[in-house]
Amino acid sequence: MSLSRFYLPASEWKPDALSLTGDEAAHCARVLRRQVGDAVEVFDGEGRVAQAVITVVSKSSVQLRPTSETRHEPLPYRIHLLPAMIKAEPFEWLLEKAVELGAASIQPLVTERTVVHLAGEHLDKKMAKWRRHMIESAKQCHTPFVTRLEKPRPFAQVIASLPQGSLKVLPALSEHSRTLHGIASGHREAYIAIGPEGDFTPAEEALAQQHGFIPVTLGSLILRAETAVVSALAVLGHEFGKS
């Protein structure tokens, strides 16, 4: 039976003692009712995983004594996801699945057809909530890594800032779209741009292609944005894994 898992940022790790606070402490002590002497697992989202024993449970924290530590190597390839902002529930689902499928980073896009616009304190609260969803996804699927999440930025600004020569793909229902099979050859890093409800505008697609994005097909069916993310990550990850 697998141990209960808890997240502790790398900046808060100490060699001989670990301390859970906030949501993680509450989940450990109040929800799961773990007690002194119980064995648990702790990870930092950057590849480090430790098995530990609970030594102290208080109202505000759970103290742990590490008994072993393992460092996991990241995937031999990096896939960066550039999804347009979509409605709250499907976007949170998208984030969770991106973590499960090993996305290296997520840079949300604000496009011409984006209907969700966030700023200021509202955005900060959403970012905290999204990161929490991603941590929970990592805990449940037992990955030692948590995908990096950036704040939403304008579409044109993002695509213009990407490194030249990297593999960039744009799922599109176009007669000129290529299949993902084979285009990953020779690459170990890729950027995938996914449009919002209604997809990118023709002007945005043209701009993306000017910046080196290759139109690719995910099949003949029209997919929801969050479904396209899962499909693209899974297929491209498979292609990278073969090379």
Side-chain angles (χ1 to χ4, degrees):
M1 184 176 179
S2 61
L3 298 176
S4 298
R5 301 186 81 220
F6 303 97
Y7 171 73
L8 185 66
S11 60
E12 299 179 20
W13 282 60
K14 297 179 180 179
D16 302 318
L18 303 176
S19 179
L20 302 178
T21 58
D23 291 340
E24 292 299 282
H27 188 221
C28 179
R30 300 177 195 171
V31 179
L32 299 180
R33 298 186 179 278
R34 295 294 179 259
Q35 301 175 354
V36 172
D38 286 349
V40 298
E41 189 172 88
V42 185
F43 73 111
D44 68 353
E46 298 178 12
R48 178 165 48 179
V49 179
Q51 292 194 358
V53 174
I54 297 175
T55 56
V56 178
V57 177
S58 68
K59 290 183 178 180
S60 60
S61 68
V62 174
Q63 305 300 318
L64 309 166
R65 175 176 54 82
T67 57
S68 66
E69 183 175 296
T70 303
R71 289 182 179 269
H72 296 264
E73 291 296 321
L75 292 172
Y77 55 84
R78 295 173 62 80
I79 301 177
H80 305 279
L81 184 62
L82 311 174
M85 291 292 298
I86 56 177
K87 294 176 182 177
E89 187 173 339
F91 189 72
E92 290 170 3
W93 187 87
L94 177 160
L95 295 175
E96 293 172 7
K97 301 311 170 189
V99 172
E100 291 182 37
L101 289 166
S105 71
I106 301 173
Q107 171 61 73
L109 303 175
V110 179
T111 71
E112 291 185 37
R113 290 174 176 160
T114 294
V115 296
V116 178
H117 295 274
L118 304 169
E121 184 179 349
H122 190 195
L123 174 59
D124 292 339
K125 289 182 178 178
K126 281 291 186 181
M127 290 290 293
K129 182 180 181 182
W130 292 338
R131 288 190 173 113
R132 188 73 233 165
H133 274 289
M134 295 168 72
I135 289 169
E136 289 302 317
S137 179
K139 289 164 67 174
Q140 290 172 11
C141 70
H142 281 255
T143 174
F145 298 96
V146 177
T147 303
R148 187 178 78 253
L149 176 66
E150 306 289 354
K151 288 187 176 182
R153 292 170 58 201
F155 170 82
Q157 184 184 103
V158 171
I159 64 170
S161 68
L162 300 179
Q164 295 184 357
S166 58
L167 177 61
K168 306 167 192 173
V169 298
L170 181 84
L173 291 172
S174 166
E175 61 179 324
H176 303 296
S177 293
R178 299 169 57 182
T179 65
L180 283 169
H181 176 68
I183 68 171
S185 178
H187 294 277
R188 307 310 290 163
E189 188 168 37
Y191 295 83
I192 305 174
I194 303 289
E197 292 93 344
D199 210 348
F200 294 116
T201 64
E204 287 173 330
E205 287 191 16
L207 183 61
Q209 290 183 54
Q210 289 175 21
H211 285 281
F213 277 82
I214 302 170
V216 297
T217 178
L218 298 178
S220 60
L221 301 177
I222 297 176
L223 304 179
R224 294 171 63 98
E226 64 272 28
T227 309
V229 164
V230 171
S231 178
L233 281 173
V235 174
L236 191 53
H238 175 71
E239 290 300 312
F240 273 142
K242 293 193 303 183
S243 59

